[in-house]
Amino acid sequence: MTDSTDRVPIEPQSIVTPLSKAAVFLVVTLDSAARALTHVLEVISDIGALTRAVGFRDLQGRLSCNVGIGSDAWDRLHRPQRPAQLRRFAEIRGPVHTAPATAGDLLFHIRAERPDMCFDLERLLLQALGDCVTVEDEVQGFRYFDSRDLLGFVDGTENPTGGAIRQSALIQSDDALFEGGSYVVVQKYLHRLDRWQALDTASQEAIVGRSKLDNVELEDAPGMESHKTLTTIVDEQGAEHDILRDNMPFGRPGHAEYGTYFIGYARNLWVIERMLHNMFVGGKTGRHDRILDFSTAITGSTFFTPSLSLLTTLAG
């Protein structure tokens, strides 16, 4: 008997799906004409049709697509309500490093077990959108060995598991009209691998806060907060708040380009914002995340990813 989960592609706007082997991160801006918005809404409200057109060729490819909508684009919808925490990505200027804010009205997060399926869905999507959008950023990501980043460490270890995934990543009934959606922040980081690889393993581990080989959490060195510590968010009541990361490495060795595309989904946008503030401005010690001495953020945008039921009504 065939398992029903193997008979249909993953539903669009499925945020909590397993990590994939390939991904495309596509950020676009909308043309200012009213007709552009109307056309784009027609395309994204039926994103499932395009996804099925490609995904049905190989159901084991597990193709999916999440659509995110930026704050400015949401304002253009002229809907009576908006997600409670949706706002533009704000530049974070620390004493040494800066997290820039860059343009983005729509995010398409395409995932699959095969890069050709991601490629073809992106091709059809851009063909359907036509001149109504301008591509601001486009990154093809890949799974690197056992889910490691190009710095050599396992990425996403602190992702929530089980029932905690939905509680951490999806908006709950406290914002009922947007329940099942998620806030998503994306950033593209470029690594200085030559400088990073010049460090000994112990120094790298102290910066990350984990052992490199077996991924075991380490105590922070005296007077220093590791990346692990700075991105662990605990509120005033002592409760820890998680996000769902679906980061991917990318690169072009021929151009000496090596990077990580950060993408974080969260029930509460402020959790990601506080993580980034800690990294760039500093935590309890007032010192920035040392990983930024080797990894430069060159983009930064915030989006709201609606539930599928809400997405399908936007063109109405």
Side-chain angles (χ1 to χ4, degrees):
M1 184 175 180
T2 304
D3 186 341
S4 62
T5 59
D6 290 333
R7 297 183 59 206
V8 294
I10 298 171
E11 189 175 60
Q13 306 303 93
S14 295
I15 293 164
V16 298
T17 56
L19 295 175
S20 60
K21 292 182 179 177
V24 165
F25 306 94
L26 178 67
V27 175
V28 304
T29 49
L30 298 177
D31 186 88
S32 59
R35 67 161 188 87
L37 178 62
T38 300
H39 176 70
V40 167
L41 288 176
E42 290 174 352
V43 173
I44 66 173
S45 65
D46 196 22
I47 191 68
L50 283 178
T51 306
R52 287 190 297 273
V54 178
F56 203 75
R57 302 177 198 172
D58 179 7
L59 299 180
Q60 301 304 313
R62 305 187 70 79
L63 178 68
S64 67
C65 181
N66 293 338
V67 180
I69 302 171
S71 179
D72 291 351
W74 189 271
D75 288 342
R76 289 180 61 184
L77 299 179
H78 299 297
R79 297 180 71 89
Q81 294 87 21
R82 62 183 282 118
Q85 297 181 46
L86 180 59
R87 48 188 168 264
R88 294 179 182 175
F89 185 97
E91 177 185 277
I92 306 171
R93 187 171 294 275
V96 180
H97 302 288
T98 297
T102 52
D105 288 326
L106 295 174
L107 165 71
F108 297 95
H109 181 195
I110 303 170
R111 294 177 285 187
E113 297 302 292
R114 295 173 44 173
D116 57 340
M117 299 182 80
C118 294
F119 168 86
D120 215 38
L121 178 54
E122 181 190 11
R123 179 183 66 84
L124 292 176
L125 181 60
L126 287 174
Q127 181 177 298
L129 294 171
D131 61 2
C132 294
V133 302
T134 299
V135 174
E136 297 293 339
D137 195 28
E138 175 191 29
V139 172
Q140 290 80 37
F142 56 88
R143 176 89 64 84
Y144 189 54
F145 294 110
D146 51 336
S147 297
R148 293 180 183 265
D149 57 29
L150 297 186
L151 301 180
F153 285 78
V154 175
D155 197 1
T157 301
E158 291 302 312
N159 272 346
T161 58
I165 298 178
R166 292 184 175 275
Q167 286 295 317
S168 300
L170 302 183
I171 296 170
Q172 304 296 310
S173 58
D174 51 347
D175 196 4
L177 288 174
F178 303 100
E179 187 173 0
S182 183
Y183 299 104
V184 56
V185 173
V186 296
Q187 290 179 296
K188 181 161 67 174
Y189 286 87
L190 293 180
H191 304 312
R192 288 289 303 274
L193 280 190
D194 54 343
R195 294 182 59 193
W196 178 256
Q197 292 169 348
L199 295 178
D200 58 61
T201 299
S203 297
Q204 293 179 357
E205 291 176 335
I207 291 171
V208 174
R210 290 186 174 277
S211 59
K212 192 170 186 178
L213 178 62
D214 49 17
N215 194 37
V216 174
E217 191 172 297
L218 303 174
E219 292 291 332
D220 286 350
M224 176 181 174
E225 290 180 286
S226 66
H227 174 74
K228 173 261 301 179
T229 297
L230 289 168
T231 56
T232 299
I233 303 302
V234 179
D235 65 22
E236 292 74 10
Q237 287 72 45
E240 185 172 328
H241 294 265
D242 294 323
I243 67 171
L244 182 65
R245 299 167 179 83
D246 208 348
N247 304 346
M248 279 278 185
F250 66 91
R252 297 184 299 168
H255 293 76
E257 180 183 271
Y258 306 96
T260 295
Y261 200 92
F262 166 78
I263 179 167
Y265 291 95
R267 170 184 179 176
N268 290 301
L269 179 58
W270 66 263
V271 178
I272 302 180
E273 291 174 335
R274 188 175 299 179
M275 287 181 177
L276 297 180
H277 181 274
N278 287 353
M279 289 177 62
F280 285 85
V281 177
K284 295 178 181 177
T285 65
R287 298 178 183 177
H288 69 270
D289 190 338
R290 283 284 317 284
I291 208 168
L292 298 176
D293 295 339
F294 308 89
S295 302
T296 302
I298 60 173
T299 70
S301 303
T302 297
F303 304 90
F304 165 66
T305 303
S307 65
L308 181 58
S309 59
L310 177 57
L311 183 68
T312 56
T313 68
L314 293 181

